[in-house]
Amino acid sequence: MTTERNTLKLGIPKGSLQDATVQLFARAGFNIYASARSYFPAIDDPEIDCMLIRAQEMARYVADGVLDAGLTGQDWIAEHAAASNTSDAVVPLADLVYAKQSFGKVRWVLAVPEESHYQSPRDLEGATIATELVRATQAYFEQRGVRVNVEFSWGATEVKAPRLADAIVEVTETGSSLRANRLRVIDTVLESNTQLIANAAALKEDWKRTKLENIALLLKAAIEAQGRVGIMLNARREDLDAVLALLPALQRPTISPLSDTDWVAVNTIIEERTVRDLIPRLKAARAQGIVEYPLNKIVM
């Protein structure tokens, strides 16, 4: 007699977010192996089936139940909600603040040619705006009472102003592409970060809900650990106050007695960027046996 294997159908964003997502899953303990020729990456968890889907389409496939869950941006979730006239087609499980180049949010910005006379959104009355994010852009201008013609852009949106459009709404992390194309930002339309979303019906199944909650926990823990390291050291009790005064911590450092009662061990978590300045100061405070170690996850 055979039993049906529990399987979670998980969408991984294809394109600019793909590499960052695979790296995040690796830090969370899941190794995903993607091939350039396949839309079905392998994963070292037999209970998960992965599929590569464009972030722009992820919310639709999750809402329709083709996928149980997936990762995509708040921008595309909002765009799908506007298109389907529903706000509860998918259920957000976790905010995962990472992007293709950094661990931060991205911005959809309203940009115009550097030499143009446009200084504010209101100056664009009657103008043509090119963007991939059509409905959110329409809503942005409607809220301000500005009538514009919003055209869908299939890509390379930065090159469309001023010849094919008066302005664009485009996503940016650093602004470098906009500057390279001689574009000037006049407003932020919205900010977005990646979210883990789930199909509402899938969450009614106990096994899938528990599996997704565990995945969300590990992904958030991996993001919490980003840019942080652990520090271990030994200190004499008489020097402990001076050492502790140098240590910023997530909560409080862990202090443990050693076999020599005059000494204690100190363990804490700090921002990695502070280590190069902190270690010499700890040494000057007479700390010994200082060890820095990497972190994969921090469960809050």
Side-chain angles (χ1 to χ4, degrees), residues 8-14 17-36 38-46 48-53 58 70-71 98 196 215 219:
L8 182 78
K9 295 174 292 184
L10 180 66
I12 303 296
K14 181 174 175 58
L17 269 180
Q18 181 176 332
D19 289 345
T21 301
V22 170
Q23 292 167 13
L24 175 61
F25 269 79
R27 287 194 300 276
F30 302 92
N31 293 306
I32 297 175
Y33 307 95
S35 166
S38 174
Y39 281 79
F40 299 93
I43 185 170
D44 61 353
D45 186 327
I48 301 175
D49 280 344
C50 292
M51 184 176 182
L52 290 174
I53 297 289
M58 189 72 74
L71 294 95
Y98 74 96
L196 174 64
I215 292 171
L219 291 175

Side-chain angles (χ1 to χ4, degrees), residues 7-8 46 71 73-74 87 143 166 172 196 204 219 283 285 299:
T7 303
L8 182 78
L71 294 95
Q74 290 174 311
S87 60
Q143 290 167 5
D166 299 298
T172 182
L196 174 64
K204 293 179 181 178
L219 291 175
K283 187 64 177 175
V299 179

Side-chain angles (χ1 to χ4, degrees), residues 221-232:
I223 287 178
E224 285 292 338
Q226 180 68 21
R228 291 171 172 162
V229 295
I231 288 285
M232 296 188 299

Side-chain angles (χ1 to χ4, degrees), residues 123-159:
D123 297 334
L124 289 163
E125 178 76 29
T128 296
I129 315 296
T131 184
E132 286 185 76
L133 201 70
V134 172
R135 291 175 179 84
T137 299
Q138 289 171 336
Y140 167 85
F141 281 102
E142 286 171 2
Q143 290 167 5
R144 287 157 180 78
V146 179
R147 291 175 296 176
V148 296
N149 174 36
V150 180
E151 292 185 348
F152 178 74
S153 172
W154 289 95
T157 306
E158 296 98 327
V159 305

Side-chain angles (χ1 to χ4, degrees), residues 55-238:
Q56 295 90 326
E57 300 176 292
M58 189 72 74
R60 173 163 66 93
Y61 288 118
V62 173
D64 291 346
V66 177
L67 298 169
D68 296 315
L71 294 95
T72 189
Q74 290 174 311
D75 42 8
W76 300 115
I77 297 170
E79 191 79 348
H80 173 264
S84 60
N85 292 317
T86 178
S87 60
D88 57 357
V90 298
V91 180
L93 296 181
D95 263 325
L96 304 170
V97 184
Y98 74 96
K100 64 180 179 179
Q101 295 179 6
S102 66
F103 278 74
K105 294 189 175 187
V106 298
R107 294 188 303 149
W108 284 86
V109 297
L110 176 61
V112 297
E114 284 181 350
E115 66 279 5
S116 74
H117 67 278
Y118 303 119
Q119 299 297 323
S120 75
R122 295 192 179 280
D123 297 334
L124 289 163
E125 178 76 29
T128 296
I129 315 296
T131 184
E132 286 185 76
L133 201 70
V134 172
R135 291 175 179 84
T137 299
Q138 289 171 336
Y140 167 85
F141 281 102
E142 286 171 2
Q143 290 167 5
R144 287 157 180 78
V146 179
R147 291 175 296 176
V148 296
N149 174 36
V150 180
E151 292 185 348
F152 178 74
S153 172
W154 289 95
T157 306
E158 296 98 327
V159 305
K160 295 187 175 177
R163 294 190 178 184
L164 302 178
D166 299 298
I168 68 169
V169 170
E170 180 64 335
V171 66
T172 182
E173 276 188 70
T174 65
S176 58
S177 180
L178 296 173
R179 291 190 294 272
N181 286 279
R182 297 175 56 82
L183 294 170
R184 170 169 49 87
V185 175
I186 60 174
D187 200 11
T188 297
V189 174
L190 60 85
E191 288 188 339
S192 177
N193 60 265
T194 307
Q195 286 192 330
L196 174 64
I197 58 174
N199 175 272
L203 289 178
K204 293 179 181 178
E205 298 181 37
D206 290 343
W207 180 86
K208 288 183 179 179
R209 185 180 66 253
T210 300
K211 184 72 174 179
L212 283 167
E213 288 172 349
N214 290 341
I215 292 171
L217 173 71
L218 294 170
L219 291 175
K220 288 189 289 186
I223 287 178
E224 285 292 338
Q226 180 68 21
R228 291 171 172 162
V229 295
I231 288 285
M232 296 188 299
L233 58 88
N234 296 333
R236 295 179 181 85
R237 290 187 182 275
E238 63 190 68

